[in-house]
Amino acid sequence: MSKKVYNNRNQANESVSKYKLLSAYGGPGSIVHTQYGSVIISCIEEWGFLKRVIEIHREFISKRTPEKEMHQKVSDDARLERNGNIGISNDHRLLESLQVRKKLTNLKYLALVPDIEVVAHSNKIKDNGVEIAIPSAYMPKVFADNSNNYKTYSNWYTEWVNRAENNDRWPGESFHPPKYIFNEEKDWSSNLKQDNIILLCEHGHISDFPWSKFLRWRKEEPLAIFEDASVNLFEQQDCCNKPSIKITSNTGNASGFDGKWLKCTKCNRGTSLKGLMSVKILCHGHLPWEVNTGDVKFHSGNNHVRNQNPPKENCNCKDGRGLPKPMKVALTTGNNIYYSRIISSIYLHSELFESDVTLEIIKLEEQKKAYLSDDDTVHLAPSIIAKIKKLKEDIPEKENDEEIPDSMKEMIFRYNEFKAFHKDETLLTKYPKDLKVKDVTENLKRDVNNSVDGKLAKYFKRILRIDNMKITSAQLDFSRVVPIDADAENAHPKNIFRSENENVLVYPVVENFGEGIFFSFNDELIKEFFSNNDIIEKLQSQLIQLQKEANRFNKGAIDFANAMNWQLYLVHTFSHLIMRELEFRCGYPTASLSERIFVSNDENYKMYGCLIYTAEGAEGSMGGLIAQTRPKNLNNLIKSAIKRATICNSDPLCWESEGQGLFDLNFASCFSCSLVSETSCEHRNLYLDRKILVDTEFGFFRDIVNK
């Protein structure tokens, strides 16, 4: 956020990285801190480049373009400079997954978030008036001057534009950043200070703090703040007809809100802000990110837009007793304001998911086409046609798809990737621009001196060197106060769109290109490893005990650990050990690496593997990672990672731990031996135990450790 532009007509522009717009902590409904204040990002219906894609789609509909040609024509047209060079993703798997998981039955395009440079007012493309900016609004909308007078943004703005001396060419031309006149005679102005107090709801709602209403309530019911009952503060009256709120600091030694005093200079009421962070206020269901900021003709979904300011809905947030649950008072810098849920997809072309019979038909179809185009071979075409007909008869009819539980959708999505990585190398690399791999499993049989070893070969079914791969990420939804994945049963995520599901046509995504190493474990050896293993028995008993003591905050994480069982601990810990070893051998910080874990004990979707990769722009994205798969390196990489894990600076405390880390879900694993950067781990540095890998008697790699 290094660049900003003050704009006309109540707007201000600033450049924002596309990776911040769609991330674990950013997206529609998130608060972003800019150079001119804290803003809340609007829902995707308001995003300029998505509006443009919708407009292009409607233009081709008006031309009666055939449905089968529509996607390609819209993609090509969006790429033109006059439309802002907007890219459309070709990741069909991610598109289909969003259609199913979010019930977006008419979703047609995944639009790539562009790099939007702030070069002109409203980020208009050239001179054609097309806007690709991503709108936002101030949050909170309360500002204070140097005398600590608190007013809403709209009130300050009205005061500015009604002042004749400003001589603005248009209303509010010089208002940004938000400012006020503090010396009428000399026409001196100063910037306003934004409030930093907000209210959060576990159902995703967010509100400005109602200072005037709070003041009246505190004066009329001074003891109510100490009671358990919640107050419907938003239904209260203001302290007076035209409140003039002021918040000052006491001269005493009290710190924080204990030393703050809230006062209205109109009605002369005042009260201390002591206990502010624990006040219990009922949620009013505010949805400020859903405010309509653009022309309704661009609206991509439900024509019934919520017109309240801010938009709102009924909130049914309840506590364990079924009573309305109050909102949380928070600072705009709090880490509980926004939790995003992201889905990522590795680009894999459609043929990788076809059966062997279908692939043979595709091959014969290409051969038939070649025969028919050559007079010398046209006589051979009938036999090829007969073979195709016979093969089509062998394809079983598809049964009606059963409704898949949400908890299974992500697992099946991962399983399809895992299975595709075991396909023929030539088929995997059919489109090298988006995916290029090399099977390096044989390199396990070579040690650092390139001599025959083979000790590690039995542990792995396949290892792939991925020279190039495309990763596309989209945001599913978001939550506040409680992370979605911390307790799926009690989390209440909000959509990043305001439309009815069936009316969403375009969805924003971010593309990354990277390289990596794919490890697939020998599932037969893992099955054999389970029998008579004291380490596994102890781990399972510890997980069962944690499940008995679970509460609403950790239940989801503990249930997941019990469902995935020791297999998750084995694969996930191995992934972390390899990432840490790459840090020693290549100099890459683990923050530059990412993991993708493939674990399932379901008989229909059994998989045990991991992918360690790095994305463009990070250390190691120029070939250093895949260099570790060479014959002289791969064997030594794995062995060194395993042997290094036998020692930890925190031993014996770490080795003998019966639960450490978040929710006590890690065992013999700590920052000194197994944990990596939070941004690199898919599971928040949970589900780790190096004992299951390197214990000299029962560990999975005990033969390597004892060598």
Side-chain angles (χ1 to χ4, degrees):
M1 293 197 178
S2 60
K3 188 174 182 181
K4 64 180 177 180
V5 172
Y6 300 134
N7 197 5
N8 63 353
R9 303 192 186 281
N10 205 22
Q11 296 180 10
N13 294 339
E14 183 168 324
S15 56
V16 180
S17 167
K18 62 183 179 182
Y19 303 110
K20 190 168 185 177
L21 280 171
L22 288 179
S23 68
Y25 305 102
S30 67
I31 289 182
V32 175
H33 302 285
T34 71
Q35 297 181 63
Y36 51 83
S38 300
V39 297
I40 189 165
I41 305 298
S42 297
C43 57
I44 63 174
E45 283 86 350
E46 302 300 315
W47 292 21
F49 72 96
L50 297 181
K51 292 179 181 180
R52 184 57 189 150
V53 174
I54 294 167
E55 193 174 56
I56 294 170
H57 173 79
R58 290 174 179 170
E59 288 171 1
F60 280 106
I61 287 180
S62 65
K63 296 176 184 177
R64 300 184 182 277
T65 305
E67 182 65 28
K68 62 180 181 180
E69 301 176 11
M70 181 70 77
H71 192 280
Q72 189 60 50
K73 285 187 176 295
V74 171
S75 300
D76 292 342
D77 203 64
R79 272 290 185 189
L80 298 177
E81 186 176 356
R82 63 182 172 84
N83 289 319
N85 304 113
I86 303 168
I88 304 295
S89 172
N90 63 345
D91 196 323
H92 62 94
R93 285 198 318 126
L94 182 58
L95 179 69
E96 292 168 2
S97 178
L98 287 170
Q99 288 173 338
V100 173
R101 295 185 66 165
K102 299 297 296 180
K103 296 181 174 59
L104 306 177
T105 53
N106 293 314
L107 181 64
K108 298 184 182 300
Y109 309 103
L110 301 179
L112 305 181
V113 179
D115 290 310
I116 303 175
E117 183 179 359
V118 181
V119 294
H121 295 323
S122 299
N123 289 320
K124 291 183 179 179
I125 306 168
K126 299 299 181 182
D127 297 319
N128 64 359
V130 175
E131 298 180 4
I132 60 173
I134 296 168
S136 61
Y138 284 115
M139 188 72 198
K141 292 180 175 59
V142 177
F143 289 78
D145 60 16
N146 287 342
S147 298
N148 295 312
N149 294 305
Y150 279 63
K151 299 178 185 178
T152 63
Y153 174 88
S154 59
N155 286 339
W156 287 115
Y157 180 75
T158 301
E159 283 187 13
W160 182 272
V161 298
N162 288 342
R163 189 173 181 274
E165 291 84 350
N166 284 335
N167 294 321
D168 290 347
R169 288 176 297 171
W170 50 75
E173 174 192 13
S174 53
F175 181 66
H176 289 283
K179 59 175 69 74
Y180 72 104
I181 298 295
F182 69 90
N183 189 313
E184 293 286 345
E185 294 181 1
K186 298 183 179 181
D187 201 28
W188 288 349
S189 65
S190 180
N191 290 351
L192 294 165
K193 299 175 295 184
Q194 191 175 18
D195 191 15
N196 65 343
I197 301 295
I198 52 175
L199 294 169
L200 304 176
C201 167
E202 287 189 13
H203 279 219
H205 305 121
I206 184 170
S207 303
D208 284 283
F209 196 90
W211 292 112
S212 176
K213 298 176 184 297
F214 175 77
L215 174 57
R216 185 184 188 100
W217 171 67
R218 286 287 285 120
K219 295 304 293 181
E220 292 183 352
E221 301 179 54
L223 299 179
I225 195 171
F226 303 108
E227 298 175 358
D228 289 335
S230 302
V231 57
N232 193 351
L233 201 58
F234 289 99
E235 297 296 331
Q236 296 275 337
Q237 292 182 347
D238 290 324
C239 60
C240 57
N241 291 334
K242 294 183 178 180
S244 179
I245 297 298
K246 197 168 190 173
I247 299 179
T248 57
S249 298
N250 291 335
T251 57
N253 294 324
S255 60
F257 289 107
D258 290 359
K260 298 287 186 181
W261 185 262
L262 173 66
K263 182 180 180 180
C264 174
T265 58
K266 291 291 185 182
C267 61
N268 213 29
R269 287 184 168 120
T271 184
S272 169
L273 293 184
K274 184 177 181 179
L276 178 71
M277 300 301 288
S278 60
V279 65
K280 304 173 183 65
I281 300 174
L282 293 181
C283 181
H284 213 49
H286 290 143
L287 308 162
W289 65 93
E290 291 193 3
V291 65
N292 188 9
T293 62
D295 194 323
V296 293
K297 73 177 181 180
F298 294 117
H299 185 48
S300 63
N302 178 15
N303 289 326
H304 177 64
V305 182
R306 301 182 180 97
N307 292 316
Q308 300 98 328
N309 188 20
K312 65 180 183 179
E313 65 182 3
N314 292 328
C315 180
N316 60 348
C317 191
K318 307 289 184 183
D319 61 17
R321 299 170 294 175
L323 300 175
K325 195 167 187 178
M327 303 183 82
K328 300 281 186 183
V329 181
L331 299 176
T332 53
T333 53
N335 58 8
N336 63 343
I337 293 176
Y338 195 84
Y339 299 102
S340 174
R341 185 164 57 155
I342 302 291
I343 178 175
S344 296
S345 169
I346 298 171
Y347 177 79
L348 298 167
H349 59 85
S350 57
E351 292 178 32
L352 289 167
F353 304 98
E354 302 290 358
S355 65
D356 293 338
V357 175
T358 304
L359 289 175
E360 182 64 23
I361 291 173
I362 293 172
K363 183 179 178 181
L364 290 173
E365 288 283 1
E366 293 176 353
Q367 191 175 356
K368 180 189 75 172
K369 187 177 179 180
Y371 284 172
L372 290 174
S373 62
D374 189 339
D375 292 339
D376 294 333
T377 58
V378 69
H379 65 282
L380 299 174
S383 62
I384 299 297
I385 294 172
K387 288 181 181 179
I388 293 173
K389 183 178 179 181
K390 179 65 171 64
L391 286 172
K392 286 183 176 180
E393 292 174 355
D394 295 337
I395 298 177
E397 293 185 6
K398 288 186 178 181
E399 299 179 1
N400 293 330
D401 294 334
E402 296 181 2
E403 182 66 26
I404 301 173
D406 288 340
S407 58
M408 292 282 289
K409 290 175 183 175
E410 175 64 21
M411 184 184 70
I412 296 172
F413 190 78
R414 290 289 177 97
Y415 176 74
N416 289 333
E417 288 182 357
F418 182 78
K419 187 171 62 173
F421 279 135
H422 288 80
K423 292 291 181 73
D424 181 72
E425 182 184 314
T426 304
L427 183 61
L428 272 167
T429 317
K430 188 171 183 179
Y431 303 98
K433 180 182 176 182
D434 292 327
L435 183 66
K436 184 179 180 182
V437 305
K438 174 70 177 176
D439 190 340
V440 294
T441 313
E442 286 298 312
N443 292 352
L444 278 182
K445 298 179 181 179
R446 301 288 174 180
D447 64 10
V448 70
N449 298 314
N450 206 23
S451 58
V452 176
D453 188 324
K455 285 280 187 180
L456 282 172
K458 68 176 182 179
Y459 293 101
F460 300 95
K461 182 186 295 183
R462 195 175 211 192
I463 298 180
L464 290 178
R465 183 190 78 202
I466 304 178
D467 298 318
N468 183 50
M469 65 176 180
K470 183 169 69 177
I471 306 134
T472 308
S473 301
Q475 183 180 357
L476 289 174
D477 39 42
F478 69 89
S479 68
R480 305 193 195 278
V481 184
V482 179
I484 300 173
D485 58 348
D487 190 347
E489 294 181 2
N490 290 320
H492 301 277
K494 302 299 291 184
N495 286 324
I496 64 173
F497 51 87
R498 66 176 175 229
S499 307
E500 298 297 333
N501 291 44
E502 63 271 16
N503 294 322
V504 176
L505 189 67
V506 188
Y507 214 84
V509 297
V510 173
E511 272 186 2
N512 266 311
F513 286 87
E515 60 184 45
I517 309 173
F518 170 74
F519 297 90
S520 174
F521 285 88
N522 183 343
D523 49 358
E524 291 298 324
L525 190 62
I526 286 182
K527 183 178 180 181
E528 178 186 328
F529 174 63
F530 173 69
S531 58
N532 299 320
N533 192 305
D534 286 353
I535 296 294
I536 292 177
E537 290 179 8
K538 182 180 179 182
L539 188 149
Q540 288 178 321
S541 65
Q542 288 171 318
L543 291 179
I544 291 172
Q545 184 61 34
L546 285 174
Q547 197 168 31
K548 291 178 181 178
E549 301 169 356
N551 55 49
R552 63 181 297 270
F553 293 104
N554 60 21
K555 186 176 185 302
I558 293 174
D559 286 348
F560 182 77
N562 277 275
M564 295 296 103
N565 216 315
W566 59 268
Q567 291 92 339
L568 174 61
Y569 279 80
L570 188 152
V571 175
H572 193 208
T573 308
F574 174 81
S575 173
H576 277 221
L577 296 183
I578 294 296
M579 281 195 281
R580 289 176 64 93
E581 186 62 25
L582 288 169
E583 195 171 34
F584 288 112
R585 293 173 62 84
C586 311
Y588 306 153
T590 58
S592 69
L593 301 171
S594 299
E595 67 179 359
R596 200 165 179 85
I597 305 299
F598 303 93
V599 173
S600 170
N601 297 316
D602 190 294
E603 287 299 327
N604 296 319
Y605 306 104
K606 188 165 286 188
M607 57 178 172
Y608 306 110
C610 63
L611 168 66
I612 298 168
Y613 64 95
T614 184
E616 56 185 324
E619 293 89 341
S621 61
M622 300 297 289
L625 181 61
I626 59 176
Q628 297 305 311
T629 62
R630 293 171 182 167
K632 293 183 179 181
N633 294 342
L634 184 59
N635 199 294
N636 200 42
L637 169 71
I638 300 173
K639 286 185 176 180
S640 181
I642 293 167
K643 291 185 177 180
R644 197 184 300 274
T646 60
I647 300 173
C648 173
N649 291 337
S650 299
D651 283 340
L653 294 177
C654 177
W655 185 264
E656 300 298 334
S657 172
E658 296 185 358
Q660 57 182 314
L662 186 62
F663 306 143
D664 287 337
L665 281 168
N666 290 338
F667 300 105
S669 290
C670 69
F671 279 105
S672 298
C673 58
S674 309
L675 273 62
V676 299
S677 169
E678 289 282 354
T679 57
S680 301
C681 179
E682 280 200 313
H683 296 296
R684 295 180 295 158
N685 269 328
L686 301 180
Y687 320 122
L688 300 167
D689 181 15
R690 58 195 169 96
K691 262 188 181 180
I692 202 168
L693 293 176
V694 300
D695 184 85
T696 55
E697 187 175 356
F698 297 105
F700 186 68
F701 291 109
R702 58 186 178 275
D703 291 346
I704 304 300
V705 174
N706 295 326
K707 183 179 176 181

